[in-house]
Amino acid sequence: MSAVYSKAVLALGSNLGERNDTLSEAVADLVDPPEVRLLDVSPVVQTKAVGGPAGQPDFLNMVITVETSLSPLQLLEHCQAVENKHHRVREVRWGPRTLDVDIIVYGDLISGDPVLTLPHPRAASRAFVLYPWSLIEPAATLNGERISTLAARAEDFDDLAPFDGFGDFDGVPLAGTAE
């Protein structure tokens, strides 16, 4: 009997340490087990922190699509294990972090479970999730609306910028800058 796979959309973000390296390594870690297969990877965007304490470094954000035979809660546990591997600390809600991995959607599942609410309860208002996702799935919808339309309406849309590869450590350039 073969396993049944469901499609899931995962959003990744980092604003501490070598953010781009962390995201790359996290994608590899997320799709390492045979129960999770990578379908697509969005470009990386740089954004201001949304919510949480003021003065945080900018985030690098991206979205990946996967297919998985893990249940939604097993996938959540796996995502949290990957966060922990990358030294995620949960001291302040929406505070700075080395890695954040959120399950945005899992198939067509709708769940109000406080442990794992699906679709992600704030995804429809976050351009840092919607815009990268729209780059890999332009026709995707969330709550019945195209994600590109939702992204353009999101308050943080104007703060999005393509990531040029510089500013790799806590948002501070490491190379390529002229004094």
Side-chain angles (χ1 to χ4, degrees):
M1 184 168 148
S2 64
V4 175
Y5 281 81
S6 296
K7 183 177 176 184
V9 175
L10 306 179
L12 291 76
S14 175
N15 75 335
L16 292 178
E18 295 184 19
R19 305 166 303 159
N20 198 40
D21 289 347
T22 298
L23 292 178
S24 296
E25 292 169 13
V27 170
D29 292 336
L30 287 165
V31 300
D32 183 49
E35 298 86 6
V36 183
R37 300 174 183 161
L38 183 63
L39 297 175
D40 213 341
V41 179
S42 79
V44 175
V45 296
Q46 185 159 300
T47 65
K48 303 288 181 206
V50 174
Q56 292 187 56
D58 288 352
F59 271 87
L60 293 186
N61 289 284
M62 65 184 303
V63 169
I64 65 172
T65 55
V66 299
E67 59 181 8
T68 183
S69 62
L70 298 175
S71 72
L73 288 176
Q74 289 171 326
L75 182 60
L76 176 63
E77 289 173 8
H78 175 57
C79 291
Q80 290 173 341
V82 171
E83 289 176 335
N84 292 339
K85 179 179 178 181
H86 291 276
H87 311 291
R88 165 75 188 262
V89 177
R90 289 174 169 78
E91 292 177 353
V92 177
R93 184 172 186 180
W94 297 332
R97 57 210 104 147
T98 55
L99 181 63
D100 184 38
V101 180
D102 289 328
I103 302 171
I104 305 304
V105 295
Y106 182 98
D108 294 326
L109 183 63
I110 296 174
S111 168
D113 185 330
V115 174
L116 179 58
T117 304
L118 292 169
H120 188 286
R122 290 170 299 283
S125 63
R126 293 185 167 168
F128 67 84
V129 170
L130 298 163
Y131 178 71
W133 182 12
S134 74
L135 296 176
I136 57 175
E137 291 192 324
T141 60
L142 182 62
N143 303 330
E145 287 194 67
R146 284 186 92 116
I147 57 175
S148 57
T149 302
L150 292 169
R153 268 200 321 252
E155 287 183 26
D156 63 321
F157 184 76
D158 290 337
D159 291 330
L160 292 176
F163 179 62
D164 61 9
F166 298 111
D168 218 18
F169 188 83
D170 290 351
V172 177
L174 292 178
T177 58
E179 298 283 329

